[in-house]
Amino acid sequence: MIDAEAIMAFVDDMLKTTGGAGAGMIGAVGAVLLAPIVVPMMGRLIRPAVTIALRSGIVLYRQVGHAASELVAEARSEMAADARHADTSSAARVRPHHETEREPSPA
């Protein structure tokens, strides 16, 4: 059977003789011993928060994707309108030959 006083004396001696290294080693041993208890408990506590964060991310992704597709469609529509406007402007500048004014002939 493990004697609690002996363990406390060992830990006390370890902290006194090794300084900071002993405290780190004791912390590491404690973490290894408590990990099988703490990790599943943390998983049960953290899982709902992670699920909510993922669901929120998916909703945000869908909304941004929808808004982005609307913006792309609007930009394409504006580009097409600009191209049509440019075509009509250039057609107005270049008149067919029969509509051009004739220069007076030198007499």
Side-chain angles (χ1 to χ4, degrees), residues 4-107:
E5 288 181 27
I7 293 174
M8 291 303 293
F10 173 75
V11 169
D12 199 33
D13 286 343
M14 181 88 106
L15 290 174
K16 286 179 187 174
T17 58
T18 58
M25 194 165 80
I26 290 173
V29 169
V32 168
L33 293 175
L34 290 176
I37 298 167
V38 174
V39 170
M41 183 173 38
M42 292 302 291
R44 284 192 300 272
L45 294 174
I46 292 174
R47 185 179 179 100
V50 171
T51 304
I52 290 169
L54 287 173
R55 288 178 65 184
S56 299
I58 291 169
V59 168
L60 180 64
Y61 174 77
R62 286 180 180 164
Q63 288 175 347
V64 168
H66 182 68
S69 65
E70 287 179 354
L71 289 172
V72 168
E74 183 179 342
R76 285 183 178 159
S77 172
E78 289 176 3
M79 288 172 63
D82 290 345
R84 283 192 303 273
H85 179 69
D87 288 345
T88 58
S89 295
S90 64
R93 278 186 263 133
V94 178
R95 292 184 287 181
H97 182 351
H98 68 279
E99 292 181 13
T100 58
E101 296 178 18
R102 295 183 184 228
E103 293 183 23
S105 58

